[in-house]
Amino acid sequence: AWVKGSAGGGTTEMRDDTISYYTHDDDDTDGSTSVDIAGQNNGTIQGATTGVSGKIDEAYGFDGTDDYVNLTDTSNLSFANYGDTFTISAWINSNNVSGANTIFTKGNPGNSEREVYFAQQNGGVDLRVYDGSYSNSVAAKDRSFGLQDNTWYHIVGRYRGGNGTTIDIFINGVQEEDETNDKTDSIN
């Protein structure tokens, strides 16, 4: 099922099980607050420039050093259950795809909470899920795609937990092929 909400002066469709949805448009920014149009997890803008030209309406500009949107640690953003399935997607446009640019991270390295890391780096996309020790990934997929600087890409990382845990990466709607550098441990 899909629900429609207002975003960026237009209409946005999202599934009714969407946890969070951020347009980064001026219409969905309130001062230093990045409004979650799914209604559950507003974020606080830390240093990012608002109102820059985006793929769809406006976007936030991040300097690649210390700009981010901070989300409150709420239970609906917890990845504590290894059987969870989740998808993270974003439009990205980097002026340095050979570097590392974090798109989403959740968790605190070294505690017992599972950590999730989704990034654009080295011309590709990386999604990793850690078991809470940060040194031991439960599943990881790192793809080198030959992304180009100053080009818009829609990237998606999908994690499907439980026995047979898998991670899938999509670039502009195309699922990327499996490679040998994936790490998927069985979860007992």
PDB file of all heavy atoms in Angstrom, residues 58-90:
ATOM      1  N   GLU A  58      14.833  21.224  -4.054  1.00  0.00           N
ATOM      2  CA  GLU A  58      16.057  21.614  -3.364  1.00  0.00           C
ATOM      3  C   GLU A  58      16.730  20.404  -2.714  1.00  0.00           C
ATOM      4  O   GLU A  58      16.190  19.312  -2.690  1.00  0.00           O
ATOM      5  CB  GLU A  58      15.764  22.657  -2.276  1.00  0.00           C
ATOM      6  CG  GLU A  58      15.233  23.969  -2.796  1.00  0.00           C
ATOM      7  CD  GLU A  58      13.726  23.979  -2.949  1.00  0.00           C
ATOM      8  OE1 GLU A  58      13.038  23.213  -2.254  1.00  0.00           O
ATOM      9  OE2 GLU A  58      13.248  24.754  -3.783  1.00  0.00           O
ATOM     10  N   ALA A  59      17.915  20.662  -2.156  1.00  0.00           N
ATOM     11  CA  ALA A  59      18.683  19.630  -1.460  1.00  0.00           C
ATOM     12  C   ALA A  59      19.476  20.301  -0.343  1.00  0.00           C
ATOM     13  O   ALA A  59      19.443  21.524  -0.197  1.00  0.00           O
ATOM     14  CB  ALA A  59      19.635  18.931  -2.433  1.00  0.00           C
ATOM     15  N   TYR A  60      20.172  19.503   0.450  1.00  0.00           N
ATOM     16  CA  TYR A  60      21.127  20.020   1.416  1.00  0.00           C
ATOM     17  C   TYR A  60      22.515  19.840   0.827  1.00  0.00           C
ATOM     18  O   TYR A  60      22.792  18.852   0.146  1.00  0.00           O
ATOM     19  CB  TYR A  60      21.069  19.262   2.743  1.00  0.00           C
ATOM     20  CG  TYR A  60      19.785  19.423   3.535  1.00  0.00           C
ATOM     21  CD1 TYR A  60      19.537  18.620   4.622  1.00  0.00           C
ATOM     22  CD2 TYR A  60      18.826  20.367   3.206  1.00  0.00           C
ATOM     23  CE1 TYR A  60      18.377  18.740   5.363  1.00  0.00           C
ATOM     24  CE2 TYR A  60      17.663  20.500   3.941  1.00  0.00           C
ATOM     25  CZ  TYR A  60      17.441  19.677   5.023  1.00  0.00           C
ATOM     26  OH  TYR A  60      16.295  19.797   5.748  1.00  0.00           O
ATOM     27  N   GLY A  61      23.396  20.784   1.099  1.00  0.00           N
ATOM     28  CA  GLY A  61      24.788  20.675   0.694  1.00  0.00           C
ATOM     29  C   GLY A  61      25.630  20.314   1.906  1.00  0.00           C
ATOM     30  O   GLY A  61      25.587  21.009   2.927  1.00  0.00           O
ATOM     31  N   PHE A  62      26.383  19.232   1.812  1.00  0.00           N
ATOM     32  CA  PHE A  62      27.245  18.773   2.893  1.00  0.00           C
ATOM     33  C   PHE A  62      28.699  18.966   2.474  1.00  0.00           C
ATOM     34  O   PHE A  62      29.053  18.663   1.341  1.00  0.00           O
ATOM     35  CB  PHE A  62      26.979  17.296   3.207  1.00  0.00           C
ATOM     36  CG  PHE A  62      25.567  17.022   3.653  1.00  0.00           C
ATOM     37  CD1 PHE A  62      24.600  16.652   2.736  1.00  0.00           C
ATOM     38  CD2 PHE A  62      25.210  17.146   4.982  1.00  0.00           C
ATOM     39  CE1 PHE A  62      23.294  16.396   3.136  1.00  0.00           C
ATOM     40  CE2 PHE A  62      23.905  16.898   5.399  1.00  0.00           C
ATOM     41  CZ  PHE A  62      22.947  16.524   4.465  1.00  0.00           C
ATOM     42  N   ASP A  63      29.548  19.432   3.391  1.00  0.00           N
ATOM     43  CA  ASP A  63      30.932  19.739   3.037  1.00  0.00           C
ATOM     44  C   ASP A  63      31.851  18.521   3.023  1.00  0.00           C
ATOM     45  O   ASP A  63      33.010  18.615   2.658  1.00  0.00           O
ATOM     46  CB  ASP A  63      31.512  20.825   3.940  1.00  0.00           C
ATOM     47  CG  ASP A  63      31.669  20.400   5.391  1.00  0.00           C
ATOM     48  OD1 ASP A  63      31.477  19.211   5.720  1.00  0.00           O
ATOM     49  OD2 ASP A  63      31.991  21.280   6.216  1.00  0.00           O
ATOM     50  N   GLY A  64      31.355  17.348   3.422  1.00  0.00           N
ATOM     51  CA  GLY A  64      32.174  16.143   3.419  1.00  0.00           C
ATOM     52  C   GLY A  64      33.090  16.025   4.616  1.00  0.00           C
ATOM     53  O   GLY A  64      33.858  15.068   4.734  1.00  0.00           O
ATOM     54  N   THR A  65      33.005  16.976   5.530  1.00  0.00           N
ATOM     55  CA  THR A  65      33.880  16.959   6.703  1.00  0.00           C
ATOM     56  C   THR A  65      33.085  16.824   7.996  1.00  0.00           C
ATOM     57  O   THR A  65      33.235  15.855   8.721  1.00  0.00           O
ATOM     58  CB  THR A  65      34.737  18.240   6.767  1.00  0.00           C
ATOM     59  OG1 THR A  65      35.465  18.345   5.549  1.00  0.00           O
ATOM     60  CG2 THR A  65      35.700  18.200   7.937  1.00  0.00           C
ATOM     61  N   ASP A  66      32.209  17.808   8.253  1.00  0.00           N
ATOM     62  CA  ASP A  66      31.521  17.806   9.536  1.00  0.00           C
ATOM     63  C   ASP A  66      30.060  18.240   9.445  1.00  0.00           C
ATOM     64  O   ASP A  66      29.459  18.610  10.438  1.00  0.00           O
ATOM     65  CB  ASP A  66      32.262  18.675  10.548  1.00  0.00           C
ATOM     66  CG  ASP A  66      32.419  20.115  10.076  1.00  0.00           C
ATOM     67  OD1 ASP A  66      31.945  20.447   8.972  1.00  0.00           O
ATOM     68  OD2 ASP A  66      33.018  20.913  10.827  1.00  0.00           O
ATOM     69  N   ASP A  67      29.470  18.174   8.261  1.00  0.00           N
ATOM     70  CA  ASP A  67      28.046  18.498   8.095  1.00  0.00           C
ATOM     71  C   ASP A  67      27.232  17.205   8.129  1.00  0.00           C
ATOM     72  O   ASP A  67      27.650  16.192   7.562  1.00  0.00           O
ATOM     73  CB  ASP A  67      27.797  19.189   6.752  1.00  0.00           C
ATOM     74  CG  ASP A  67      28.436  20.557   6.656  1.00  0.00           C
ATOM     75  OD1 ASP A  67      28.994  21.031   7.659  1.00  0.00           O
ATOM     76  OD2 ASP A  67      28.376  21.138   5.564  1.00  0.00           O
ATOM     77  N   TYR A  68      26.078  17.269   8.791  1.00  0.00           N
ATOM     78  CA  TYR A  68      25.219  16.090   8.874  1.00  0.00           C
ATOM     79  C   TYR A  68      23.845  16.486   9.385  1.00  0.00           C
ATOM     80  O   TYR A  68      23.630  17.625   9.792  1.00  0.00           O
ATOM     81  CB  TYR A  68      25.835  15.017   9.786  1.00  0.00           C
ATOM     82  CG  TYR A  68      26.085  15.480  11.213  1.00  0.00           C
ATOM     83  CD1 TYR A  68      25.158  15.243  12.213  1.00  0.00           C
ATOM     84  CD2 TYR A  68      27.260  16.159  11.547  1.00  0.00           C
ATOM     85  CE1 TYR A  68      25.387  15.674  13.516  1.00  0.00           C
ATOM     86  CE2 TYR A  68      27.500  16.586  12.836  1.00  0.00           C
ATOM     87  CZ  TYR A  68      26.557  16.335  13.825  1.00  0.00           C
ATOM     88  OH  TYR A  68      26.783  16.758  15.106  1.00  0.00           O
ATOM     89  N   VAL A  69      22.919  15.540   9.367  1.00  0.00           N
ATOM     90  CA  VAL A  69      21.615  15.696  10.005  1.00  0.00           C
ATOM     91  C   VAL A  69      21.578  14.673  11.133  1.00  0.00           C
ATOM     92  O   VAL A  69      21.766  13.470  10.904  1.00  0.00           O
ATOM     93  CB  VAL A  69      20.451  15.463   9.016  1.00  0.00           C
ATOM     94  CG1 VAL A  69      19.119  15.516   9.750  1.00  0.00           C
ATOM     95  CG2 VAL A  69      20.493  16.490   7.891  1.00  0.00           C
ATOM     96  N   ASN A  70      21.365  15.142  12.350  1.00  0.00           N
ATOM     97  CA  ASN A  70      21.348  14.278  13.525  1.00  0.00           C
ATOM     98  C   ASN A  70      19.914  13.860  13.831  1.00  0.00           C
ATOM     99  O   ASN A  70      19.035  14.708  13.964  1.00  0.00           O
ATOM    100  CB  ASN A  70      21.951  15.015  14.722  1.00  0.00           C
ATOM    101  CG  ASN A  70      22.134  14.114  15.910  1.00  0.00           C
ATOM    102  OD1 ASN A  70      22.632  13.006  15.774  1.00  0.00           O
ATOM    103  ND2 ASN A  70      21.729  14.581  17.076  1.00  0.00           N
ATOM    104  N   LEU A  71      19.699  12.554  13.957  1.00  0.00           N
ATOM    105  CA  LEU A  71      18.385  12.028  14.302  1.00  0.00           C
ATOM    106  C   LEU A  71      18.403  11.548  15.740  1.00  0.00           C
ATOM    107  O   LEU A  71      19.393  10.967  16.188  1.00  0.00           O
ATOM    108  CB  LEU A  71      18.010  10.860  13.395  1.00  0.00           C
ATOM    109  CG  LEU A  71      18.013  11.148  11.903  1.00  0.00           C
ATOM    110  CD1 LEU A  71      17.694   9.885  11.124  1.00  0.00           C
ATOM    111  CD2 LEU A  71      17.017  12.241  11.570  1.00  0.00           C
ATOM    112  N   THR A  72      17.313  11.756  16.446  1.00  0.00           N
ATOM    113  CA  THR A  72      17.181  11.259  17.800  1.00  0.00           C
ATOM    114  C   THR A  72      17.169   9.738  17.771  1.00  0.00           C
ATOM    115  O   THR A  72      16.623   9.125  16.853  1.00  0.00           O
ATOM    116  CB  THR A  72      15.874  11.782  18.433  1.00  0.00           C
ATOM    117  OG1 THR A  72      15.891  13.209  18.370  1.00  0.00           O
ATOM    118  CG2 THR A  72      15.737  11.350  19.872  1.00  0.00           C
ATOM    119  N   ASP A  73      17.756   9.110  18.771  1.00  0.00           N
ATOM    120  CA  ASP A  73      17.801   7.654  18.862  1.00  0.00           C
ATOM    121  C   ASP A  73      16.452   7.141  19.353  1.00  0.00           C
ATOM    122  O   ASP A  73      16.182   7.113  20.540  1.00  0.00           O
ATOM    123  CB  ASP A  73      18.922   7.232  19.814  1.00  0.00           C
ATOM    124  CG  ASP A  73      19.147   5.735  19.783  1.00  0.00           C
ATOM    125  OD1 ASP A  73      18.687   5.072  18.836  1.00  0.00           O
ATOM    126  OD2 ASP A  73      19.802   5.226  20.712  1.00  0.00           O
ATOM    127  N   THR A  74      15.583   6.782  18.408  1.00  0.00           N
ATOM    128  CA  THR A  74      14.250   6.301  18.756  1.00  0.00           C
ATOM    129  C   THR A  74      14.143   4.809  18.462  1.00  0.00           C
ATOM    130  O   THR A  74      14.897   4.256  17.656  1.00  0.00           O
ATOM    131  CB  THR A  74      13.166   7.053  17.962  1.00  0.00           C
ATOM    132  OG1 THR A  74      13.387   6.821  16.566  1.00  0.00           O
ATOM    133  CG2 THR A  74      13.193   8.534  18.250  1.00  0.00           C
ATOM    134  N   SER A  75      13.192   4.152  19.092  1.00  0.00           N
ATOM    135  CA  SER A  75      13.050   2.699  18.934  1.00  0.00           C
ATOM    136  C   SER A  75      12.716   2.301  17.497  1.00  0.00           C
ATOM    137  O   SER A  75      13.123   1.239  17.047  1.00  0.00           O
ATOM    138  CB  SER A  75      11.987   2.163  19.899  1.00  0.00           C
ATOM    139  OG  SER A  75      10.731   2.751  19.625  1.00  0.00           O
ATOM    140  N   ASN A  76      11.987   3.152  16.751  1.00  0.00           N
ATOM    141  CA  ASN A  76      11.649   2.753  15.380  1.00  0.00           C
ATOM    142  C   ASN A  76      12.837   2.875  14.429  1.00  0.00           C
ATOM    143  O   ASN A  76      12.760   2.430  13.292  1.00  0.00           O
ATOM    144  CB  ASN A  76      10.422   3.502  14.850  1.00  0.00           C
ATOM    145  CG  ASN A  76      10.677   4.970  14.615  1.00  0.00           C
ATOM    146  OD1 ASN A  76      11.660   5.530  15.081  1.00  0.00           O
ATOM    147  ND2 ASN A  76       9.777   5.601  13.896  1.00  0.00           N
ATOM    148  N   LEU A  77      13.952   3.456  14.878  1.00  0.00           N
ATOM    149  CA  LEU A  77      15.178   3.486  14.087  1.00  0.00           C
ATOM    150  C   LEU A  77      16.203   2.465  14.597  1.00  0.00           C
ATOM    151  O   LEU A  77      17.354   2.488  14.201  1.00  0.00           O
ATOM    152  CB  LEU A  77      15.810   4.883  14.109  1.00  0.00           C
ATOM    153  CG  LEU A  77      15.075   5.958  13.326  1.00  0.00           C
ATOM    154  CD1 LEU A  77      15.757   7.307  13.498  1.00  0.00           C
ATOM    155  CD2 LEU A  77      14.979   5.595  11.854  1.00  0.00           C
ATOM    156  N   SER A  78      15.785   1.565  15.470  1.00  0.00           N
ATOM    157  CA  SER A  78      16.689   0.551  16.006  1.00  0.00           C
ATOM    158  C   SER A  78      16.810  -0.606  15.021  1.00  0.00           C
ATOM    159  O   SER A  78      15.826  -1.072  14.458  1.00  0.00           O
ATOM    160  CB  SER A  78      16.159   0.022  17.340  1.00  0.00           C
ATOM    161  OG  SER A  78      16.964  -1.047  17.781  1.00  0.00           O
ATOM    162  N   PHE A  79      18.023  -1.062  14.813  1.00  0.00           N
ATOM    163  CA  PHE A  79      18.268  -2.219  13.959  1.00  0.00           C
ATOM    164  C   PHE A  79      18.693  -3.401  14.832  1.00  0.00           C
ATOM    165  O   PHE A  79      19.540  -4.192  14.457  1.00  0.00           O
ATOM    166  CB  PHE A  79      19.366  -1.894  12.935  1.00  0.00           C
ATOM    167  CG  PHE A  79      18.989  -0.777  12.000  1.00  0.00           C
ATOM    168  CD1 PHE A  79      19.470   0.499  12.195  1.00  0.00           C
ATOM    169  CD2 PHE A  79      18.150  -1.013  10.925  1.00  0.00           C
ATOM    170  CE1 PHE A  79      19.135   1.532  11.332  1.00  0.00           C
ATOM    171  CE2 PHE A  79      17.804   0.013  10.068  1.00  0.00           C
ATOM    172  CZ  PHE A  79      18.294   1.283  10.264  1.00  0.00           C
ATOM    173  N   ALA A  80      18.089  -3.527  16.016  1.00  0.00           N
ATOM    174  CA  ALA A  80      18.526  -4.498  17.011  1.00  0.00           C
ATOM    175  C   ALA A  80      18.238  -5.945  16.622  1.00  0.00           C
ATOM    176  O   ALA A  80      18.933  -6.840  17.057  1.00  0.00           O
ATOM    177  CB  ALA A  80      17.870  -4.187  18.351  1.00  0.00           C
ATOM    178  N   ASN A  81      17.250  -6.184  15.820  1.00  0.00           N
ATOM    179  CA  ASN A  81      16.864  -7.555  15.485  1.00  0.00           C
ATOM    180  C   ASN A  81      17.503  -7.960  14.166  1.00  0.00           C
ATOM    181  O   ASN A  81      17.215  -7.403  13.134  1.00  0.00           O
ATOM    182  CB  ASN A  81      15.337  -7.642  15.397  1.00  0.00           C
ATOM    183  CG  ASN A  81      14.864  -9.025  15.073  1.00  0.00           C
ATOM    184  OD1 ASN A  81      15.648  -9.913  14.751  1.00  0.00           O
ATOM    185  ND2 ASN A  81      13.573  -9.221  15.173  1.00  0.00           N
ATOM    186  N   TYR A  82      18.379  -8.964  14.197  1.00  0.00           N
ATOM    187  CA  TYR A  82      19.064  -9.386  12.976  1.00  0.00           C
ATOM    188  C   TYR A  82      18.098  -9.863  11.895  1.00  0.00           C
ATOM    189  O   TYR A  82      18.446  -9.903  10.733  1.00  0.00           O
ATOM    190  CB  TYR A  82      20.065 -10.498  13.272  1.00  0.00           C
ATOM    191  CG  TYR A  82      21.304 -10.010  13.936  1.00  0.00           C
ATOM    192  CD1 TYR A  82      21.617 -10.416  15.220  1.00  0.00           C
ATOM    193  CD2 TYR A  82      22.158  -9.144  13.284  1.00  0.00           C
ATOM    194  CE1 TYR A  82      22.761  -9.962  15.846  1.00  0.00           C
ATOM    195  CE2 TYR A  82      23.301  -8.687  13.902  1.00  0.00           C
ATOM    196  CZ  TYR A  82      23.600  -9.104  15.177  1.00  0.00           C
ATOM    197  OH  TYR A  82      24.727  -8.651  15.780  1.00  0.00           O
ATOM    198  N   GLY A  83      16.905 -10.237  12.246  1.00  0.00           N
ATOM    199  CA  GLY A  83      15.938 -10.681  11.255  1.00  0.00           C
ATOM    200  C   GLY A  83      15.269  -9.543  10.511  1.00  0.00           C
ATOM    201  O   GLY A  83      14.526  -9.754   9.583  1.00  0.00           O
ATOM    202  N   ASP A  84      15.517  -8.291  10.938  1.00  0.00           N
ATOM    203  CA  ASP A  84      14.901  -7.136  10.292  1.00  0.00           C
ATOM    204  C   ASP A  84      15.287  -7.051   8.824  1.00  0.00           C
ATOM    205  O   ASP A  84      16.369  -7.441   8.422  1.00  0.00           O
ATOM    206  CB  ASP A  84      15.346  -5.837  10.948  1.00  0.00           C
ATOM    207  CG  ASP A  84      14.689  -5.585  12.286  1.00  0.00           C
ATOM    208  OD1 ASP A  84      13.736  -6.291  12.636  1.00  0.00           O
ATOM    209  OD2 ASP A  84      15.137  -4.667  12.968  1.00  0.00           O
ATOM    210  N   THR A  85      14.386  -6.506   8.051  1.00  0.00           N
ATOM    211  CA  THR A  85      14.668  -6.160   6.663  1.00  0.00           C
ATOM    212  C   THR A  85      14.491  -4.657   6.558  1.00  0.00           C
ATOM    213  O   THR A  85      13.528  -4.113   7.073  1.00  0.00           O
ATOM    214  CB  THR A  85      13.683  -6.876   5.718  1.00  0.00           C
ATOM    215  OG1 THR A  85      13.896  -8.282   5.828  1.00  0.00           O
ATOM    216  CG2 THR A  85      13.879  -6.448   4.289  1.00  0.00           C
ATOM    217  N   PHE A  86      15.454  -3.988   5.935  1.00  0.00           N
ATOM    218  CA  PHE A  86      15.308  -2.549   5.776  1.00  0.00           C
ATOM    219  C   PHE A  86      15.933  -2.111   4.466  1.00  0.00           C
ATOM    220  O   PHE A  86      16.772  -2.804   3.884  1.00  0.00           O
ATOM    221  CB  PHE A  86      15.915  -1.772   6.958  1.00  0.00           C
ATOM    222  CG  PHE A  86      17.384  -1.981   7.145  1.00  0.00           C
ATOM    223  CD1 PHE A  86      18.321  -1.227   6.438  1.00  0.00           C
ATOM    224  CD2 PHE A  86      17.850  -2.916   8.053  1.00  0.00           C
ATOM    225  CE1 PHE A  86      19.669  -1.417   6.620  1.00  0.00           C
ATOM    226  CE2 PHE A  86      19.211  -3.111   8.246  1.00  0.00           C
ATOM    227  CZ  PHE A  86      20.123  -2.355   7.521  1.00  0.00           C
ATOM    228  N   THR A  87      15.510  -0.942   4.005  1.00  0.00           N
ATOM    229  CA  THR A  87      16.019  -0.337   2.782  1.00  0.00           C
ATOM    230  C   THR A  87      16.354   1.117   3.078  1.00  0.00           C
ATOM    231  O   THR A  87      15.582   1.804   3.745  1.00  0.00           O
ATOM    232  CB  THR A  87      14.964  -0.401   1.658  1.00  0.00           C
ATOM    233  OG1 THR A  87      14.607  -1.766   1.446  1.00  0.00           O
ATOM    234  CG2 THR A  87      15.493   0.194   0.367  1.00  0.00           C
ATOM    235  N   ILE A  88      17.498   1.565   2.596  1.00  0.00           N
ATOM    236  CA  ILE A  88      17.914   2.955   2.709  1.00  0.00           C
ATOM    237  C   ILE A  88      18.161   3.450   1.294  1.00  0.00           C
ATOM    238  O   ILE A  88      18.831   2.778   0.509  1.00  0.00           O
ATOM    239  CB  ILE A  88      19.203   3.103   3.536  1.00  0.00           C
ATOM    240  CG1 ILE A  88      19.014   2.517   4.933  1.00  0.00           C
ATOM    241  CG2 ILE A  88      19.638   4.563   3.608  1.00  0.00           C
ATOM    242  CD1 ILE A  88      20.294   2.393   5.729  1.00  0.00           C
ATOM    243  N   SER A  89      17.587   4.609   0.945  1.00  0.00           N
ATOM    244  CA  SER A  89      17.819   5.142  -0.398  1.00  0.00           C
ATOM    245  C   SER A  89      18.093   6.631  -0.321  1.00  0.00           C
ATOM    246  O   SER A  89      17.671   7.305   0.616  1.00  0.00           O
ATOM    247  CB  SER A  89      16.620   4.865  -1.310  1.00  0.00           C
ATOM    248  OG  SER A  89      15.496   5.595  -0.907  1.00  0.00           O
ATOM    249  N   ALA A  90      18.804   7.124  -1.331  1.00  0.00           N
ATOM    250  CA  ALA A  90      19.147   8.546  -1.369  1.00  0.00           C
ATOM    251  C   ALA A  90      19.523   8.947  -2.788  1.00  0.00           C
ATOM    252  O   ALA A  90      20.015   8.126  -3.565  1.00  0.00           O
ATOM    253  CB  ALA A  90      20.312   8.840  -0.435  1.00  0.00           C
TER     254      ALA A  90
END
